[in-house]
Amino acid sequence: MRGTALLSLAAVVSTGALLGGPVPASAPHDPQTHTIQQGEPAAGQIVNTISLRLDEQGILHAQERITFGGESPAEFTRTFLLQEPYDTDHDRRYEISGLSAHTGAGDPVEVTVTEDDTTMDAVLATGGASVVILDYQVLGTVSEVGDRLELEWTAIGGYSEFVEETTVVVDAPSPPQALSCAAGEPLSSIYCTSSDMGGPQALVARFLQTDLEPGQTFDIVVSYPQGTAESTLILSRSWSLTSAFAITPVTAGVFGLLLVVLVGGLVLLIWVRGRDERALRSEARKADHAPVEPGVGGSLQFHPPDNVHPGQIGTLIDEQADVVDITATVVDLAVRGYLRIEELPHKRYASVDWLLTRTGQRGEETLLPYERLLLDALFPKGPQTRLSELGEEFAQQLADVREELYRDMVRLKWFARRPNRERNQWTTVGIFLALLGVVVTVMLAIFTNAAFTGLALVIAGAAVTVGAQYVPAKTKLGSAVFAHVVGFRAYLLRAQVDDIPPDRRVHVFSRYLPYAIIFDNVEQWARILAAAGAEEASGQGLSWYRGPADWGLEDFADSIKVFTLTLSGVISNTRQFRTLI
């Protein structure tokens, strides 16, 4: 507090002691009236005598006698301080009321008042008067400091003209015990010209400051015994980043409660929605074997668990219809005979390209809706297309393929609602909650010191946004299918070639390959398939994949890997798959 700092500059004065030098002989003290006599200023000079009286209610009654030597300025501005820093969390405020002015002859003087947050300017229309008297009251100058009262006031917040001499006299119900002052630029700690306690009787506090430049201030502090007057300290919360985010037992408690309720609720929701999946993981062992069954004539036929297709598996696993699901579906359609992939001859300094041919095989009408859409997207102009020619039209149709895959999840009753929509809804809720948290935090920071609690909403919103990826809930059936898929994946990762008879390996292993793409195991199965094809077909190749003239089955693993990477790149470059799913 500034008052305590000012008092520390001066020694504590006993009753009747002189702190700032002798009282000028021209200004004798009258102990009965507590007034100071002052001579007339010289021409062009301005002096101000301020008489302050503190009553028992702590209200400071002020009268200023501003005397102009010679011709007075047309306007004279007197500045009052309304607010100053008190501590790290508060500002001290002063309330000024009853401001009026008149000439020494008693004629009223017009006063124009303008205020901002910290100061008030009173513009006096002097009208040529040689003396202008101001009357006003101040509330907020008295506060309790330890075992005493302190009157602290910026007696002069600023003048518009140079003032040769300012005298301040403070009277109160009890004699002063100590005093201090400072003058000069705002927040100056330079002691004023002089100060004393008004002579032997020490009934008043008296301060003098000479040569105040325009805009300079004059601060006084007077210490009184307890009981002299009531404390009128007025504090308002001051804003700072530290105070706005103050961590107190209350703010920490509210923050923790909000965080537990909001984030804990999200964790509970995810846990509850995933319990069917956890409970049914034991069913994974039902699909942890070669996915084949006897076909016509007793030969083994590929039969995936729950008859799921590669694109469906990919969407079921991560709840998103993404690039790998489309890529695996294209290869699956080729393996099943609906299209043929032909690797074109390699040209020097040119990228590898592939010719896709629609075979027109019977049964296209039995394909799943998303498979038919994808087949149509691959061949927009006829039964053949080059992979490098797939363009904007292909990209637009991929959006329909993706939407149909999501519809498939609901149609198969693996999800109660489309996972992409549910995920987007929760993501929107999370973003809204985070933005709401930012707004609440800012408002709390401006008007309170509890902004720390608002951060709980921001954290919860971020958690919901991230957790939205885990919210889409599989149905009981979807969880069972997922468990079987997990078992199938476990089998593919450890399967042995000898699990399938030699004469059926090309057929079965070809059917495995699209699923291996989903499970990121394409290279291993491509090599196994190439080896099986060379053995079974005597090097004649695969029916659904052809290479250039100098190409052999030993090149298949590298070829299919490059093909899937290139196709994935084509899909990834489309606008639909660059945006959020």
Side-chain angles (χ1 to χ4, degrees), residues 341-355 386-389 545-548 551 555 558-567 570:
I341 304 171
E342 182 179 350
E343 186 177 333
L344 297 176
H346 300 184
K347 295 181 180 179
R348 188 182 294 247
Y349 308 120
S351 301
V352 182
D353 202 359
W354 288 264
L355 178 67
R386 290 194 176 199
L387 189 60
S388 59
E389 294 174 349
Y545 192 99
R546 296 177 182 176
W551 183 87
D555 301 315
D558 292 332
S559 292
I560 196 64
K561 181 179 179 181
V562 175
F563 173 77
T564 56
L565 288 174
T566 304
L567 177 58
V570 171

mmCIF file of all heavy atoms in Angstrom, residues 341-355 386-389 545-548 551 555 558-567 570:
data_model
loop_
_atom_site.group_PDB
_atom_site.id
_atom_site.type_symbol
_atom_site.label_atom_id
_atom_site.label_comp_id
_atom_site.label_asym_id
_atom_site.label_seq_id
_atom_site.Cartn_x
_atom_site.Cartn_y
_atom_site.Cartn_z
ATOM 1 N N ILE A 341 -6.960 -56.973 -63.554
ATOM 2 C CA ILE A 341 -5.907 -55.971 -63.399
ATOM 3 C C ILE A 341 -4.736 -56.381 -64.278
ATOM 4 O O ILE A 341 -4.204 -57.489 -64.141
ATOM 5 C CB ILE A 341 -5.453 -55.862 -61.936
ATOM 6 C CG1 ILE A 341 -6.643 -55.551 -61.009
ATOM 7 C CG2 ILE A 341 -4.370 -54.796 -61.775
ATOM 8 C CD1 ILE A 341 -6.326 -55.649 -59.543
ATOM 9 N N GLU A 342 -4.343 -55.495 -65.190
ATOM 10 C CA GLU A 342 -3.229 -55.794 -66.094
ATOM 11 C C GLU A 342 -2.146 -54.735 -65.924
ATOM 12 O O GLU A 342 -2.384 -53.546 -66.128
ATOM 13 C CB GLU A 342 -3.707 -55.820 -67.538
ATOM 14 C CG GLU A 342 -2.604 -56.172 -68.530
ATOM 15 C CD GLU A 342 -3.107 -56.225 -69.959
ATOM 16 O OE1 GLU A 342 -4.343 -56.167 -70.163
ATOM 17 O OE2 GLU A 342 -2.262 -56.310 -70.873
ATOM 18 N N GLU A 343 -0.972 -55.185 -65.530
ATOM 19 C CA GLU A 343 0.164 -54.280 -65.360
ATOM 20 C C GLU A 343 0.749 -53.981 -66.731
ATOM 21 O O GLU A 343 1.168 -54.895 -67.460
ATOM 22 C CB GLU A 343 1.197 -54.923 -64.441
ATOM 23 C CG GLU A 343 2.357 -54.019 -64.077
ATOM 24 C CD GLU A 343 3.316 -54.695 -63.089
ATOM 25 O OE1 GLU A 343 2.862 -55.575 -62.337
ATOM 26 O OE2 GLU A 343 4.510 -54.330 -63.093
ATOM 27 N N LEU A 344 0.775 -52.724 -67.113
ATOM 28 C CA LEU A 344 1.234 -52.338 -68.443
ATOM 29 C C LEU A 344 2.759 -52.362 -68.514
ATOM 30 O O LEU A 344 3.446 -52.272 -67.489
ATOM 31 C CB LEU A 344 0.717 -50.939 -68.780
ATOM 32 C CG LEU A 344 -0.821 -50.816 -68.849
ATOM 33 C CD1 LEU A 344 -1.219 -49.381 -69.100
ATOM 34 C CD2 LEU A 344 -1.397 -51.744 -69.919
ATOM 35 N N PRO A 345 3.296 -52.504 -69.720
ATOM 36 C CA PRO A 345 4.760 -52.517 -69.884
ATOM 37 C C PRO A 345 5.395 -51.266 -69.279
ATOM 38 O O PRO A 345 4.856 -50.163 -69.391
ATOM 39 C CB PRO A 345 4.941 -52.561 -71.401
ATOM 40 C CG PRO A 345 3.685 -53.181 -71.917
ATOM 41 C CD PRO A 345 2.595 -52.714 -71.013
ATOM 42 N N HIS A 346 6.499 -51.470 -68.628
ATOM 43 C CA HIS A 346 7.185 -50.358 -67.970
ATOM 44 C C HIS A 346 7.918 -49.517 -69.006
ATOM 45 O O HIS A 346 8.626 -50.050 -69.858
ATOM 46 C CB HIS A 346 8.177 -50.884 -66.942
ATOM 47 C CG HIS A 346 7.522 -51.703 -65.864
ATOM 48 N ND1 HIS A 346 8.202 -52.204 -64.789
ATOM 49 C CD2 HIS A 346 6.228 -52.105 -65.693
ATOM 50 C CE1 HIS A 346 7.375 -52.889 -64.017
ATOM 51 N NE2 HIS A 346 6.170 -52.844 -64.557
ATOM 52 N N LYS A 347 7.713 -48.217 -68.916
ATOM 53 C CA LYS A 347 8.411 -47.299 -69.804
ATOM 54 C C LYS A 347 9.480 -46.563 -69.017
ATOM 55 O O LYS A 347 9.275 -46.217 -67.861
ATOM 56 C CB LYS A 347 7.427 -46.294 -70.419
ATOM 57 C CG LYS A 347 6.396 -46.950 -71.336
ATOM 58 C CD LYS A 347 5.476 -45.904 -71.935
ATOM 59 C CE LYS A 347 4.432 -46.564 -72.851
ATOM 60 N NZ LYS A 347 3.508 -45.558 -73.434
ATOM 61 N N ARG A 348 10.611 -46.362 -69.666
ATOM 62 C CA ARG A 348 11.704 -45.663 -69.009
ATOM 63 C C ARG A 348 11.266 -44.249 -68.610
ATOM 64 O O ARG A 348 10.629 -43.551 -69.389
ATOM 65 C CB ARG A 348 12.901 -45.594 -69.964
ATOM 66 C CG ARG A 348 14.177 -45.059 -69.305
ATOM 67 C CD ARG A 348 15.264 -44.988 -70.350
ATOM 68 N NE ARG A 348 15.615 -46.340 -70.795
ATOM 69 C CZ ARG A 348 16.779 -46.922 -70.578
ATOM 70 N NH1 ARG A 348 17.713 -46.255 -69.927
ATOM 71 N NH2 ARG A 348 17.024 -48.130 -70.999
ATOM 72 N N TYR A 349 11.627 -43.880 -67.396
ATOM 73 C CA TYR A 349 11.334 -42.558 -66.839
ATOM 74 C C TYR A 349 9.829 -42.277 -66.739
ATOM 75 O O TYR A 349 9.392 -41.133 -66.764
ATOM 76 C CB TYR A 349 11.993 -41.443 -67.662
ATOM 77 C CG TYR A 349 13.468 -41.654 -67.883
ATOM 78 C CD1 TYR A 349 13.985 -41.756 -69.163
ATOM 79 C CD2 TYR A 349 14.343 -41.763 -66.796
ATOM 80 C CE1 TYR A 349 15.339 -41.950 -69.379
ATOM 81 C CE2 TYR A 349 15.701 -41.960 -66.999
ATOM 82 C CZ TYR A 349 16.197 -42.060 -68.296
ATOM 83 O OH TYR A 349 17.531 -42.258 -68.501
ATOM 84 N N ALA A 350 9.011 -43.308 -66.659
ATOM 85 C CA ALA A 350 7.566 -43.127 -66.511
ATOM 86 C C ALA A 350 7.059 -43.996 -65.372
ATOM 87 O O ALA A 350 7.640 -45.041 -65.064
ATOM 88 C CB ALA A 350 6.836 -43.490 -67.803
ATOM 89 N N SER A 351 5.996 -43.568 -64.754
ATOM 90 C CA SER A 351 5.417 -44.324 -63.645
ATOM 91 C C SER A 351 4.732 -45.572 -64.167
ATOM 92 O O SER A 351 4.247 -45.625 -65.308
ATOM 93 C CB SER A 351 4.395 -43.466 -62.886
ATOM 94 O OG SER A 351 5.003 -42.296 -62.379
ATOM 95 N N VAL A 352 4.669 -46.574 -63.308
ATOM 96 C CA VAL A 352 3.972 -47.805 -63.660
ATOM 97 C C VAL A 352 2.482 -47.512 -63.734
ATOM 98 O O VAL A 352 1.938 -46.764 -62.914
ATOM 99 C CB VAL A 352 4.258 -48.913 -62.625
ATOM 100 C CG1 VAL A 352 3.557 -50.203 -63.022
ATOM 101 C CG2 VAL A 352 5.750 -49.127 -62.486
ATOM 102 N N ASP A 353 1.797 -48.105 -64.717
ATOM 103 C CA ASP A 353 0.358 -47.915 -64.855
ATOM 104 C C ASP A 353 -0.307 -49.281 -65.032
ATOM 105 O O ASP A 353 0.355 -50.275 -65.370
ATOM 106 C CB ASP A 353 0.048 -47.008 -66.052
ATOM 107 C CG ASP A 353 -1.327 -46.352 -65.954
ATOM 108 O OD1 ASP A 353 -2.040 -46.623 -64.960
ATOM 109 O OD2 ASP A 353 -1.689 -45.574 -66.850
ATOM 110 N N TRP A 354 -1.619 -49.306 -64.767
ATOM 111 C CA TRP A 354 -2.367 -50.548 -64.861
ATOM 112 C C TRP A 354 -3.632 -50.314 -65.672
ATOM 113 O O TRP A 354 -4.234 -49.231 -65.615
ATOM 114 C CB TRP A 354 -2.780 -51.062 -63.473
ATOM 115 C CG TRP A 354 -1.644 -51.616 -62.670
ATOM 116 C CD1 TRP A 354 -1.260 -52.913 -62.545
ATOM 117 C CD2 TRP A 354 -0.739 -50.857 -61.862
ATOM 118 N NE1 TRP A 354 -0.176 -53.022 -61.720
ATOM 119 C CE2 TRP A 354 0.176 -51.769 -61.276
ATOM 120 C CE3 TRP A 354 -0.583 -49.503 -61.584
ATOM 121 C CZ2 TRP A 354 1.193 -51.375 -60.439
ATOM 122 C CZ3 TRP A 354 0.431 -49.101 -60.737
ATOM 123 C CH2 TRP A 354 1.311 -50.034 -60.166
ATOM 124 N N LEU A 355 -4.004 -51.340 -66.451
ATOM 125 C CA LEU A 355 -5.246 -51.316 -67.204
ATOM 126 C C LEU A 355 -6.269 -52.172 -66.462
ATOM 127 O O LEU A 355 -6.028 -53.352 -66.195
ATOM 128 C CB LEU A 355 -5.037 -51.880 -68.615
ATOM 129 C CG LEU A 355 -6.291 -51.944 -69.505
ATOM 130 C CD1 LEU A 355 -6.774 -50.536 -69.843
ATOM 131 C CD2 LEU A 355 -6.011 -52.754 -70.779
ATOM 132 N N ARG A 386 -7.654 -46.872 -67.472
ATOM 133 C CA ARG A 386 -6.330 -46.924 -66.861
ATOM 134 C C ARG A 386 -6.405 -46.309 -65.462
ATOM 135 O O ARG A 386 -7.152 -45.358 -65.225
ATOM 136 C CB ARG A 386 -5.320 -46.151 -67.708
ATOM 137 C CG ARG A 386 -5.010 -46.829 -69.027
ATOM 138 C CD ARG A 386 -3.783 -46.224 -69.662
ATOM 139 N NE ARG A 386 -3.397 -46.918 -70.877
ATOM 140 C CZ ARG A 386 -2.200 -46.849 -71.447
ATOM 141 N NH1 ARG A 386 -1.266 -46.069 -70.885
ATOM 142 N NH2 ARG A 386 -1.921 -47.498 -72.542
ATOM 143 N N LEU A 387 -5.591 -46.864 -64.576
ATOM 144 C CA LEU A 387 -5.588 -46.367 -63.212
ATOM 145 C C LEU A 387 -5.219 -44.885 -63.182
ATOM 146 O O LEU A 387 -5.766 -44.110 -62.397
ATOM 147 C CB LEU A 387 -4.599 -47.181 -62.361
ATOM 148 C CG LEU A 387 -4.630 -46.938 -60.850
ATOM 149 C CD1 LEU A 387 -5.989 -47.270 -60.273
ATOM 150 C CD2 LEU A 387 -3.547 -47.752 -60.155
ATOM 151 N N SER A 388 -4.314 -44.484 -64.049
ATOM 152 C CA SER A 388 -3.865 -43.090 -64.079
ATOM 153 C C SER A 388 -4.938 -42.145 -64.605
ATOM 154 O O SER A 388 -4.808 -40.926 -64.465
ATOM 155 C CB SER A 388 -2.607 -42.958 -64.945
ATOM 156 O OG SER A 388 -2.865 -43.397 -66.275
ATOM 157 N N GLU A 389 -6.014 -42.682 -65.196
ATOM 158 C CA GLU A 389 -7.050 -41.850 -65.790
ATOM 159 C C GLU A 389 -8.212 -41.578 -64.831
ATOM 160 O O GLU A 389 -9.122 -40.821 -65.165
ATOM 161 C CB GLU A 389 -7.591 -42.507 -67.069
ATOM 162 C CG GLU A 389 -6.555 -42.600 -68.185
ATOM 163 C CD GLU A 389 -7.069 -43.387 -69.390
ATOM 164 O OE1 GLU A 389 -8.141 -44.021 -69.248
ATOM 165 O OE2 GLU A 389 -6.414 -43.369 -70.439
ATOM 166 N N TYR A 545 -4.896 -61.231 -62.376
ATOM 167 C CA TYR A 545 -3.796 -60.269 -62.446
ATOM 168 C C TYR A 545 -2.819 -60.717 -63.519
ATOM 169 O O TYR A 545 -2.364 -61.861 -63.521
ATOM 170 C CB TYR A 545 -3.069 -60.152 -61.097
ATOM 171 C CG TYR A 545 -2.105 -58.965 -61.033
ATOM 172 C CD1 TYR A 545 -2.489 -57.792 -60.412
ATOM 173 C CD2 TYR A 545 -0.835 -59.019 -61.612
ATOM 174 C CE1 TYR A 545 -1.625 -56.692 -60.353
ATOM 175 C CE2 TYR A 545 0.024 -57.926 -61.567
ATOM 176 C CZ TYR A 545 -0.383 -56.768 -60.938
ATOM 177 O OH TYR A 545 0.460 -55.686 -60.899
ATOM 178 N N ARG A 546 -2.504 -59.812 -64.440
ATOM 179 C CA ARG A 546 -1.556 -60.100 -65.502
ATOM 180 C C ARG A 546 -0.458 -59.045 -65.503
ATOM 181 O O ARG A 546 -0.688 -57.895 -65.155
ATOM 182 C CB ARG A 546 -2.246 -60.119 -66.869
ATOM 183 C CG ARG A 546 -3.291 -61.226 -67.009
ATOM 184 C CD ARG A 546 -3.986 -61.157 -68.352
ATOM 185 N NE ARG A 546 -5.015 -62.189 -68.467
ATOM 186 C CZ ARG A 546 -5.838 -62.303 -69.512
ATOM 187 N NH1 ARG A 546 -5.736 -61.431 -70.523
ATOM 188 N NH2 ARG A 546 -6.747 -63.269 -69.537
ATOM 189 N N GLY A 547 0.739 -59.482 -65.945
ATOM 190 C CA GLY A 547 1.863 -58.573 -66.019
ATOM 191 C C GLY A 547 2.376 -58.433 -67.433
ATOM 192 O O GLY A 547 1.855 -59.062 -68.368
ATOM 193 N N PRO A 548 3.406 -57.603 -67.638
ATOM 194 C CA PRO A 548 3.996 -57.439 -68.971
ATOM 195 C C PRO A 548 4.614 -58.751 -69.463
ATOM 196 O O PRO A 548 4.653 -59.763 -68.754
ATOM 197 C CB PRO A 548 5.052 -56.362 -68.752
ATOM 198 C CG PRO A 548 4.725 -55.733 -67.435
ATOM 199 C CD PRO A 548 4.040 -56.777 -66.625
ATOM 200 N N TRP A 551 7.209 -60.407 -67.322
ATOM 201 C CA TRP A 551 6.767 -60.493 -65.922
ATOM 202 C C TRP A 551 6.506 -61.947 -65.549
ATOM 203 O O TRP A 551 6.049 -62.745 -66.366
ATOM 204 C CB TRP A 551 5.504 -59.659 -65.756
ATOM 205 C CG TRP A 551 4.957 -59.579 -64.348
ATOM 206 C CD1 TRP A 551 5.301 -58.697 -63.399
ATOM 207 C CD2 TRP A 551 3.948 -60.415 -63.781
ATOM 208 N NE1 TRP A 551 4.584 -58.902 -62.250
ATOM 209 C CE2 TRP A 551 3.728 -59.969 -62.457
ATOM 210 C CE3 TRP A 551 3.207 -61.495 -64.255
ATOM 211 C CZ2 TRP A 551 2.807 -60.561 -61.606
ATOM 212 C CZ3 TRP A 551 2.289 -62.094 -63.403
ATOM 213 C CH2 TRP A 551 2.099 -61.626 -62.088
ATOM 214 N N ASP A 555 7.340 -61.989 -59.527
ATOM 215 C CA ASP A 555 7.254 -60.541 -59.411
ATOM 216 C C ASP A 555 5.931 -60.071 -58.812
ATOM 217 O O ASP A 555 5.725 -58.862 -58.581
ATOM 218 C CB ASP A 555 7.415 -59.879 -60.794
ATOM 219 C CG ASP A 555 8.733 -60.227 -61.455
ATOM 220 O OD1 ASP A 555 9.764 -60.178 -60.751
ATOM 221 O OD2 ASP A 555 8.734 -60.537 -62.663
ATOM 222 N N ASP A 558 5.800 -57.914 -55.433
ATOM 223 C CA ASP A 558 6.175 -56.508 -55.593
ATOM 224 C C ASP A 558 5.131 -55.752 -56.405
ATOM 225 O O ASP A 558 4.815 -54.585 -56.104
ATOM 226 C CB ASP A 558 7.540 -56.405 -56.271
ATOM 227 C CG ASP A 558 8.664 -56.920 -55.384
ATOM 228 O OD1 ASP A 558 8.525 -56.847 -54.143
ATOM 229 O OD2 ASP A 558 9.683 -57.385 -55.930
ATOM 230 N N SER A 559 4.570 -56.406 -57.401
ATOM 231 C CA SER A 559 3.601 -55.742 -58.272
ATOM 232 C C SER A 559 2.328 -55.365 -57.518
ATOM 233 O O SER A 559 1.837 -54.240 -57.622
ATOM 234 C CB SER A 559 3.254 -56.646 -59.456
ATOM 235 O OG SER A 559 4.365 -56.802 -60.311
ATOM 236 N N ILE A 560 1.774 -56.315 -56.763
ATOM 237 C CA ILE A 560 0.520 -56.037 -56.066
ATOM 238 C C ILE A 560 0.739 -55.003 -54.960
ATOM 239 O O ILE A 560 -0.144 -54.198 -54.661
ATOM 240 C CB ILE A 560 -0.099 -57.332 -55.505
ATOM 241 C CG1 ILE A 560 -1.578 -57.101 -55.126
ATOM 242 C CG2 ILE A 560 0.699 -57.858 -54.329
ATOM 243 C CD1 ILE A 560 -2.478 -56.754 -56.272
ATOM 244 N N LYS A 561 1.938 -55.019 -54.378
ATOM 245 C CA LYS A 561 2.239 -54.012 -53.348
ATOM 246 C C LYS A 561 2.264 -52.619 -53.965
ATOM 247 O O LYS A 561 1.680 -51.673 -53.421
ATOM 248 C CB LYS A 561 3.577 -54.330 -52.691
ATOM 249 C CG LYS A 561 3.959 -53.355 -51.596
ATOM 250 C CD LYS A 561 5.286 -53.743 -50.953
ATOM 251 C CE LYS A 561 5.682 -52.742 -49.862
ATOM 252 N NZ LYS A 561 6.979 -53.112 -49.245
ATOM 253 N N VAL A 562 2.930 -52.465 -55.126
ATOM 254 C CA VAL A 562 2.979 -51.161 -55.800
ATOM 255 C C VAL A 562 1.592 -50.762 -56.269
ATOM 256 O O VAL A 562 1.198 -49.592 -56.184
ATOM 257 C CB VAL A 562 3.974 -51.206 -56.978
ATOM 258 C CG1 VAL A 562 3.934 -49.894 -57.758
ATOM 259 C CG2 VAL A 562 5.379 -51.475 -56.474
ATOM 260 N N PHE A 563 0.804 -51.736 -56.757
ATOM 261 C CA PHE A 563 -0.549 -51.428 -57.216
ATOM 262 C C PHE A 563 -1.412 -50.878 -56.081
ATOM 263 O O PHE A 563 -2.099 -49.864 -56.245
ATOM 264 C CB PHE A 563 -1.206 -52.684 -57.796
ATOM 265 C CG PHE A 563 -2.653 -52.499 -58.137
ATOM 266 C CD1 PHE A 563 -3.027 -51.820 -59.287
ATOM 267 C CD2 PHE A 563 -3.655 -52.976 -57.291
ATOM 268 C CE1 PHE A 563 -4.372 -51.629 -59.587
ATOM 269 C CE2 PHE A 563 -4.993 -52.793 -57.595
ATOM 270 C CZ PHE A 563 -5.360 -52.111 -58.744
ATOM 271 N N THR A 564 -1.384 -51.555 -54.934
ATOM 272 C CA THR A 564 -2.215 -51.096 -53.817
ATOM 273 C C THR A 564 -1.758 -49.720 -53.320
ATOM 274 O O THR A 564 -2.580 -48.880 -52.964
ATOM 275 C CB THR A 564 -2.185 -52.110 -52.653
ATOM 276 O OG1 THR A 564 -0.820 -52.341 -52.261
ATOM 277 C CG2 THR A 564 -2.810 -53.424 -53.076
ATOM 278 N N LEU A 565 -0.457 -49.485 -53.311
ATOM 279 C CA LEU A 565 0.046 -48.177 -52.894
ATOM 280 C C LEU A 565 -0.384 -47.082 -53.867
ATOM 281 O O LEU A 565 -0.775 -45.990 -53.465
ATOM 282 C CB LEU A 565 1.563 -48.203 -52.768
ATOM 283 C CG LEU A 565 2.144 -48.981 -51.576
ATOM 284 C CD1 LEU A 565 3.667 -49.045 -51.664
ATOM 285 C CD2 LEU A 565 1.727 -48.339 -50.255
ATOM 286 N N THR A 566 -0.304 -47.398 -55.184
ATOM 287 C CA THR A 566 -0.689 -46.408 -56.194
ATOM 288 C C THR A 566 -2.182 -46.121 -56.130
ATOM 289 O O THR A 566 -2.608 -44.962 -56.183
ATOM 290 C CB THR A 566 -0.307 -46.911 -57.590
ATOM 291 O OG1 THR A 566 1.094 -47.216 -57.631
ATOM 292 C CG2 THR A 566 -0.610 -45.861 -58.643
ATOM 293 N N LEU A 567 -2.992 -47.187 -56.009
ATOM 294 C CA LEU A 567 -4.443 -47.003 -55.916
ATOM 295 C C LEU A 567 -4.803 -46.218 -54.656
ATOM 296 O O LEU A 567 -5.659 -45.325 -54.689
ATOM 297 C CB LEU A 567 -5.136 -48.365 -55.912
ATOM 298 C CG LEU A 567 -6.664 -48.345 -55.754
ATOM 299 C CD1 LEU A 567 -7.309 -47.517 -56.860
ATOM 300 C CD2 LEU A 567 -7.225 -49.765 -55.745
ATOM 301 N N VAL A 570 -4.191 -42.613 -55.336
ATOM 302 C CA VAL A 570 -5.239 -42.005 -56.169
ATOM 303 C C VAL A 570 -6.451 -41.668 -55.317
ATOM 304 O O VAL A 570 -7.031 -40.581 -55.426
ATOM 305 C CB VAL A 570 -5.630 -42.969 -57.310
ATOM 306 C CG1 VAL A 570 -6.860 -42.452 -58.043
ATOM 307 C CG2 VAL A 570 -4.470 -43.146 -58.281
#
